[in-house]
Amino acid sequence: MNKLLSTILIAAGTLFIANKSQAQGCVALRGNGSTCMLPHQDENSSGKWLFTTGARYFKSYKHFKGREEQKERQTQGTEVINHQTAIDLSLTRILDERWSIMLDVPILANARSSQYEHGLVNGVNKFNERHSTHSFGLGDMRIAVYRWLLDPHKNTRGNIQAGLGIKFSTGDYDVKDYWYNVGPNGTKELREVDQSIQLGDGGTGVTMELNGYYNFTSHIAVYGNAYYLMNPREQNGVRTWRETLSPALANEAICSVPDQYMFRGGVSYANAQFTGSVGARIEGIPVHDLVGGSGDFRRPGYVWSVEPAVSYNLGRTRLFASVPVAFVRNRTQSVTDKERSTPTNKVNGDAAFADYVVNVGFSVRF
């Protein structure tokens, strides 16, 4: 591979590490997404290790049922507000020109502010108070192996990389914090926090990836990435307390362990130091998992975003930043929603989404 190609691959890899498959709000995807288009050792680059750290932040507060925004939630002051920050530490070992192995360790810090979890009785919050719950700690770690499907020396204009990994249940999926106005005489109780800010999902999963690029000229290229996390476990036994909010939510009393997915593609421009790209991405949680049951409580849905990104090379170090901006948000109908629906009443739960996500970080070759 020539020097320009190596630059493109390193830029794409470092940019994508910060863009984990983690949803923008209450659709609870976590920081264990794929690390795409990893660079490989060649005669024009040095170092067989790549360390990357990326920080991701967003605030979700706009509620959607299907694609319809519930603007009245903000007017009434009843919206749920999530502040979520993730720091990913990723270490890649380049084994040879085709093979590499990667370890990803996410650290998560979340805060969730709401009214309905703190004194809601039969749909009415008689205390009219907003309180917050929090979570902080290690997320679900992942290890993955990657291989370029085509010979990099013979296919310098384009290539496809396949990845297969295991996502471990290292994140605490039973984090508890205080819910206010829920005990006798309006006292607080220590309860499980919402699924969207749990540190893990409680399942051991398999990750599958395809990453590709093609260089049209010495500066212009296209890229594409696909990622899917398959979680065979149906539910993790963690109580949601939703059945205490309304008897109709009895089928959502326990947390589901859902699959998740991400697809993205776009166009990039690169020179010796600078890389810029723009593309589209979709990420979400499906209604039905590929393997195992899909019942219990989940908020399925997806986000379409426009994703501009830049990176800058400083020798062995590369700085990067990206800001995916949502233009379609859809909280789809879950299995439990369908169970409660009737021919005259379609039930569709809601979820809060962010407008954009901020990703920044750097990578170092050594």
Side-chain angles (χ1 to χ4, degrees):
M1 292 184 288
N2 58 35
K3 187 174 182 179
L4 175 61
L5 177 57
S6 179
T7 300
I8 293 174
L9 296 181
I10 294 172
T14 54
L15 284 169
F16 195 61
I17 287 171
N19 286 285
K20 304 294 180 182
S21 185
Q22 181 178 4
Q24 303 176 24
C26 292
V27 178
L29 302 178
R30 294 170 180 82
N32 47 41
S34 56
T35 306
C36 82
M37 293 167 61
L38 302 171
H40 285 257
Q41 183 76 0
D42 62 56
E43 65 276 10
N44 293 309
S45 64
S46 59
K48 289 191 175 183
W49 292 92
L50 179 67
F51 172 76
T52 302
T53 181
R56 172 185 176 103
Y57 170 79
F58 66 82
K59 171 188 174 182
S60 63
Y61 65 100
K62 290 185 177 180
H63 285 254
F64 287 79
K65 281 188 176 181
R67 294 192 179 190
E68 182 179 352
E69 184 179 354
Q70 297 177 288
K71 297 181 179 180
E72 70 277 7
R73 294 291 296 272
Q74 295 179 63
T75 302
Q76 298 167 358
T78 61
E79 78 276 21
V80 175
I81 304 172
N82 278 11
H83 294 272
Q84 297 185 252
T85 302
I87 297 177
D88 272 282
L89 307 174
S90 176
L91 183 63
T92 299
R93 170 64 175 177
I94 302 167
L95 303 176
D96 59 31
E97 63 185 13
R98 286 202 176 189
W99 290 92
S100 57
I101 186 169
M102 182 275 303
L103 173 66
D104 179 66
V105 180
I107 307 296
L108 309 177
N110 307 310
R112 177 180 175 86
S113 168
S114 73
Q115 281 192 2
Y116 86 89
E117 293 163 319
H118 305 281
L120 188 68
V121 178
N122 293 324
V124 178
N125 190 316
K126 61 181 180 180
F127 295 94
N128 196 33
E129 293 179 357
R130 176 179 289 273
H131 294 279
S132 296
T133 51
H134 304 82
S135 63
F136 173 80
L138 177 68
D140 286 347
M141 297 170 58
R142 190 172 71 93
I143 188 168
V145 176
Y146 296 88
R147 185 181 191 274
W148 291 104
L149 300 183
L150 304 177
D151 185 342
H153 293 291
K154 297 179 180 179
N155 299 274
T156 58
R157 293 184 68 89
N159 211 331
I160 299 174
Q161 183 189 62
L164 185 65
I166 299 176
K167 190 272 297 179
F168 300 97
S169 181
T170 54
D172 188 353
Y173 55 94
D174 193 18
V175 177
K176 295 181 177 65
D177 201 351
Y178 284 103
W179 291 35
Y180 290 80
N181 306 320
V182 293
N185 302 316
T187 57
K188 65 182 181 181
E189 287 186 1
L190 194 63
R191 294 182 175 183
E192 292 82 355
V193 301
D194 185 78
Q195 186 183 57
S196 64
I197 64 168
Q198 289 288 349
L199 302 176
D201 60 25
T204 298
V206 176
T207 61
M208 299 164 283
E209 302 169 62
L210 281 177
N211 310 300
Y213 70 92
Y214 186 81
N215 292 313
F216 287 106
T217 71
S218 59
H219 296 291
I220 305 298
V222 293
Y223 64 88
N225 317 115
Y227 168 84
Y228 195 93
L229 166 63
M230 181 175 65
N231 266 322
R233 188 176 184 182
E234 181 173 8
Q235 53 106 325
N236 59 23
V238 174
R239 189 175 179 183
T240 67
W241 299 90
R242 293 177 65 79
E243 79 283 1
T244 66
L245 305 177
S246 170
L249 299 175
N251 62 349
E252 295 187 348
I254 303 297
C255 287
S256 175
V257 183
D259 290 359
Q260 64 185 60
Y261 61 86
M262 188 283 309
F263 304 98
R264 69 196 284 264
V267 179
S268 66
Y269 170 86
N271 57 33
Q273 290 183 300
F274 171 81
T275 299
S277 68
V278 63
R281 67 182 285 148
I282 181 173
E283 53 192 317
I285 285 180
V287 176
H288 298 282
D289 293 343
L290 286 181
V291 177
S294 306
D296 301 288
F297 178 61
R298 71 173 66 186
R299 296 185 182 96
Y302 59 84
V303 181
W304 274 105
S305 301
V306 175
E307 183 181 24
V310 295
S311 71
Y312 190 79
N313 184 41
L314 296 171
R316 291 174 177 262
T317 301
R318 180 167 288 272
L319 311 177
F320 58 85
S322 70
V323 183
V325 179
F327 64 89
V328 173
R329 287 158 282 195
N330 189 350
R331 196 324 197 154
T332 51
Q333 192 182 29
S334 68
V335 170
T336 51
D337 289 338
K338 295 176 182 179
E339 290 173 352
R340 300 199 309 275
S341 296
T342 67
T344 58
N345 180 35
K346 178 183 176 182
V347 175
N348 198 138
D350 71 313
F353 294 86
D355 287 327
Y356 59 89
V357 180
V358 177
N359 302 289
V360 295
F362 67 91
S363 68
V364 179
R365 287 183 297 151
F366 57 95

